Amino acid sequence: MTSPPLAGLRVLELARILAGPWIGQLLADLGADVVKVEAPEGDDTRKWGPPFVEGKDGEHLSAAYFHSANRGKRSITADFRSEEGQALVRRLASHADVVIENFKVGGLEKYGLDAASLRAAYPRLIYCSVTGFGQDGPYAPRAGYDFLVQGMGGAMSVTGEPSGAPMKTGYAVADIYTGLYASVGILSALRRRDATGEGATLDLALLDTQIAVLGNQAMNYLVSGKPAPRLGNAHPNIVPYDVFPVADGHIIIATGNDGQWRKLCEVLGEPALAAHPDYAENRSRVANRVALTEKLQFLTQRYGKADLLAALEKVGVPAGPINGIDEVFADPQVIARGVRVDLPSEAATNGTIPTVASPIVIDGVRQVAPIPSPRLNEHHDDILNDPAWGGGG
């Protein structure tokens, strides 16, 4: 069996909550040995429940939130405020390829565990800092929170119904995307180190990332000078591309070109609508989106969900259901792809802990760490005795 792509890579995670641990989990999925150093009381998210993973002895094995971002790691505790804890982290850092931390700017400097201190001692180290606002600028000292960053970074201004309040996404988009960008940066720095022998210091900010993933919305503003309004589920550049009512609920219709638009009109029994001068081209449909959307909503309500989706799929018009998370995991495509994985755990009530696998598939093998999230300090002795981390073996 082929070794995981990052087998042999040693990662020291001094991170908690979400963005930093998301990096460590992704690297663990790809085969890295990730040692998570936690405060004696543990990562805050261990207590962010319910729900909690149930243990065989009636105790809980940390909150589901913690398990969403920490599979594949080994846990050891250290009190950074003590000389003993600092010495332990420095010892581990001396054997690490990568350090991940998400403390406030300057938070580790007083312990001698900041990028400058550790990279001076270990020049080959890749040191990745994740903060709310970056290492410089007027907001650098502030703590970063996903919700606040979604607001500050423009995402909430384009999310929600036009007549309603601005809305955040239903998951921590700024944290998770920052974890993904940081992982790309770490792998790039490792590639460069292979060529030069030099490590690197990475500075990842939630706010930078949130702005970056605005994508076409940001470019629309930069080109036009006009900030985008909230459009609910509609698309700023394509019409029709929205949620539409049907007799038994709602569906998504996402036409991407004029050909698909004409096919949609044929399915809805109104082929003449496609040729109407106000709607024949996407440019005119965008200009007349309100009137057109009202017409389409009237037409789609005449059909049942399953019948309309089947008819649209038959002619190649992009459309789909709006699934609850329970429906997501019951979907035959999701099951066939192996997105849910049950990782073995002797401590868990059912003998396994469920997880959502990484979406990365290499040579037909889904990249997911084989072990679940660790119990607090579970691997203390293993890590201290591991020769790869400076132990005696």
Side-chain angles (χ1 to χ4, degrees):
M1 184 176 178
T2 305
S3 297
L6 297 185
L9 186 74
R10 292 187 293 275
V11 178
L12 184 63
E13 182 188 300
L14 313 179
R16 67 271 193 231
I17 313 296
L18 188 53
W22 201 264
I23 306 167
Q25 178 171 266
L26 179 53
L27 299 179
D29 281 340
L30 293 169
D33 179 8
V34 180
V35 169
K36 182 180 181 71
V37 180
E38 301 184 64
E41 59 272 19
D43 188 313
D44 292 348
T45 63
R46 287 185 179 275
K47 300 176 183 178
W48 283 13
F52 295 93
V53 173
E54 294 183 3
K56 286 183 177 179
D57 298 329
E59 83 287 16
H60 73 69
L61 304 179
S62 296
Y65 193 117
F66 176 81
H67 289 276
S68 74
N70 288 287
R71 68 171 169 265
K73 305 174 186 178
R74 297 193 284 172
S75 171
I76 190 171
T77 58
D79 186 346
F80 291 3
R81 296 165 297 185
S82 71
E83 292 186 4
E84 180 183 7
Q86 294 164 23
L88 172 59
V89 174
R90 279 193 289 271
R91 169 190 151 177
L92 295 174
S94 71
H95 296 277
D97 297 291
V98 178
V99 169
I100 303 163
E101 62 92 1
N102 61 353
F103 284 74
K104 289 175 65 175
V105 171
L108 291 178
E109 186 175 357
K110 57 190 172 186
Y111 306 129
L113 303 177
D114 56 306
S117 299
L118 291 184
R119 286 206 57 219
Y122 318 115
R124 287 177 53 82
L125 193 64
I126 308 298
Y127 191 106
C128 178
S129 292
V130 175
T131 58
F133 303 98
Q135 297 293 315
D136 52 20
Y139 300 162
R142 297 184 185 181
Y145 298 93
D146 179 274
F147 190 3
L148 301 183
V149 168
Q150 286 193 44
M152 296 177 70
M156 290 177 63
S157 74
V158 295
T159 306
E161 293 296 330
S163 59
M167 295 291 291
K168 70 177 183 67
T169 61
Y171 60 97
V173 61
D175 275 330
I176 290 173
Y177 273 124
T178 301
L180 295 177
Y181 273 105
S183 299
V184 173
I186 288 168
L187 296 176
S188 301
L190 287 167
R191 175 67 184 271
R192 190 182 70 175
R193 189 182 74 175
D194 288 343
T196 67
E198 288 295 317
T201 300
L202 280 66
D203 171 11
L204 273 291
L206 300 187
L207 182 60
D208 294 358
T209 298
Q210 180 61 81
I211 296 169
V213 300
L214 290 175
N216 60 297
Q217 291 281 31
M219 281 302 298
N220 287 347
Y221 166 72
L222 293 177
V223 171
S224 71
K226 299 177 182 178
R230 294 194 303 280
L231 295 174
N233 291 304
H235 195 289
N237 302 108
I238 310 170
V239 175
Y241 196 102
D242 209 335
V243 169
F244 290 91
V246 290
D248 53 349
H250 293 82
I251 66 169
I252 297 167
I253 299 175
T255 60
N257 55 55
D258 294 337
Q260 292 173 353
W261 159 242
R262 290 190 290 271
K263 291 177 182 178
L264 171 64
C265 292
E266 291 172 2
V267 168
L268 295 177
E270 295 288 342
L273 190 62
H276 192 289
D278 286 347
Y279 311 130
E281 296 182 349
N282 185 67
R283 179 192 293 258
S284 58
R285 293 195 296 275
V286 170
N288 297 286
R289 78 162 66 235
V290 174
L292 177 56
T293 299
E294 290 177 354
K295 293 178 187 295
L296 292 174
Q297 288 173 341
F298 174 77
L299 295 173
T300 58
Q301 289 183 84
R302 302 183 303 182
Y303 299 85
K305 181 190 302 185
D307 290 341
L308 184 52
L309 287 176
L312 294 174
E313 182 176 6
K314 186 175 181 179
V315 298
V317 174
I322 301 170
N323 288 332
I325 295 178
D326 56 336
E327 295 171 302
V328 170
F329 285 102
D331 188 286
Q333 177 67 19
V334 175
I335 293 171
R337 293 285 290 175
V339 175
R340 171 180 172 152
V341 175
D342 293 295
L343 299 175
S345 170
E346 293 182 357
T349 299
N350 297 322
T352 61
I353 296 176
T355 194
V356 181
S358 160
I360 300 172
V361 178
I362 300 177
D363 293 334
V365 178
R366 187 168 290 277
Q367 304 299 300
V368 57
I371 60 173
S373 303
R375 285 168 286 168
L376 183 62
N377 206 34
E378 178 180 355
H379 302 99
H380 179 275
D381 293 342
D382 290 345
I383 293 166
L384 293 185
N385 293 323
D386 188 340
W389 290 93

